[in-house]
Amino acid sequence: MEGVLPHRAAQLLGEARRVVIFTGAGMSAESGVPTFRDDLTGLWARFDAQQLATAEAFRTDPDLVWGWYEWRRARVRRAEPNSGHLAITTIESRIPGSTVITQNVDDLHERAGTQAVIHLHGSLFTPRCGTAAAHPATFPDPPDGEPAEPHEGRRISPPRCAYCRAPVRPGVVWFGEALPEAALTAAVEAATACDVLLTVGTSGVVYPAAAIPQIAARSGATVIQVNPQPTPLDRIAAINLRGTAAQVLSTLVATAWR
Ligand code: OAD
């Protein structure tokens, strides 16, 4: 934390009536889920987003795309929430007017005990039909003899929609796609009304999600950032806590309500 004790941040949190916790991939890094843009370890350093995370990619090679998301889903299922996720549930229980908004497609906030998470970029666990009808779908049981976990790079044919037989797609937002409207509206409302916004583990470069902390700042909230690295959000953050999500959030909560 570069010697920055989060006393002022803890005080602001302890006094807040409405808090938004806005999270990105760094939130789950200490659970073993890779981020996107970290050098070497980030998914976009190792994989081509254009071949894996666009509607065009899914049309061109559905087995490659479905297999990659099944690999990611398997990694998340193996992961456990870290002490940062748990600290967020403490914030929620101390401040009933709290809202968790995440860009993450994992379910680690939910598994830590957070009730109503706003998922701006969808979820690895809500597959749907790939047509505009977006019929909800379920994951098929793995056939006998299949390895329990798909390995990296394995191609898997997506299941077919039970209603229209179209290939089922992951329930995530791909590049070039709109965010789920209800989630975005709820996120903007929460950001407009909060007095503290805690932004955790996001590079703050993907819009419109990255506008959420800016909306809070413009509406008069104090923005507190938790990230080991500088980001474009540094300049709107009143306090920058340079450390990891698990480290800083645990200390923050322990200091705010000791
Ligand atoms: P990024 O990979 O862009 O950024 C992760 C951030 O987490 C970086 O700023 C890191 O410095 C920070 N970080 C790394 N380890 C950390 C730790 N242990 N604790 C706290 N912070 C840590 O991920 P996002 O900002 O979430 O979009 O990326 C935004 C969107 O880009 C994602 O939702 C995804 C991606 O393309 C979609 O899937 C639509």
Side-chain angles (χ1 to χ4, degrees):
M1 257 180 276
E2 290 185 351
V4 181
L5 284 173
H7 284 120
R8 177 72 188 133
Q11 189 185 12
L12 285 161
L13 195 60
E15 290 166 359
R17 305 280 296 272
R18 286 174 184 229
V19 174
V20 165
I21 301 130
F22 175 71
T23 66
M27 180 77 231
S28 301
E30 286 151 292
S31 296
V33 181
T35 65
F36 294 95
R37 293 177 183 77
D38 279 296
D39 297 347
L40 305 176
T41 58
L43 289 175
W44 298 151
R46 302 171 52 217
F47 299 100
D48 181 353
Q50 290 309 313
Q51 283 184 12
L52 293 163
T54 66
E56 171 65 23
F58 187 63
R59 272 194 299 275
T60 308
D61 196 343
D63 296 11
L64 179 74
V65 172
W66 183 261
W68 190 67
Y69 279 93
E70 281 297 88
W71 168 70
R72 286 182 57 198
R73 186 166 70 95
R75 285 197 71 156
V76 166
R77 285 173 62 187
R78 237 189 304 133
E80 295 294 334
N82 63 56
S83 54
H85 293 103
L86 296 172
I88 289 173
T89 63
T90 305
I91 297 174
E92 269 196 305
S93 64
R94 295 285 183 163
I95 310 171
S98 310
T99 307
V100 175
I101 304 170
T102 190
Q103 297 163 88
N104 298 344
V105 293
D106 65 45
D107 60 350
L108 296 179
H109 283 303
E110 285 89 344
R111 282 202 268 140
T114 295
Q115 300 291 327
V117 182
I118 299 176
H119 279 274
L120 287 179
H121 291 164
S123 160
L124 289 171
F125 299 93
T126 55
R128 64 173 193 267
C129 157
T131 69
H135 301 121
T138 52
F139 293 105
D141 292 332
D144 286 347
E146 283 282 305
E149 283 199 4
H151 58 76
E152 183 179 327
R154 176 150 166 251
R155 306 167 80 85
I156 304 175
S157 295
R160 296 271 160 180
C161 173
Y163 301 95
C164 66
R165 309 305 300 157
V168 167
R169 59 162 283 176
V172 302
V173 175
W174 281 328
F175 287 103
E177 292 186 325
L179 271 52
E181 209 177 300
L184 185 58
T185 304
V188 169
E189 274 172 13
T192 308
C194 68
D195 20 69
V196 169
L197 181 139
L198 204 51
T199 172
V200 184
T202 179
S203 57
V205 296
V206 176
Y207 283 82
I212 296 297
Q214 299 174 14
I215 291 168
R218 271 206 307 275
S219 308
T222 304
V223 174
I224 301 170
Q225 176 167 236
V226 179
N227 198 311
Q229 304 291 334
T231 79
L233 298 174
D234 282 18
R235 58 193 165 75
I236 61 148
I239 302 177
N240 281 295
L241 301 170
R242 298 267 188 251
T244 71
Q247 254 179 6
V248 175
L249 293 177
S250 314
T251 312
L252 201 55
V253 163
T255 313
W257 293 288
R258 69 173 125 209

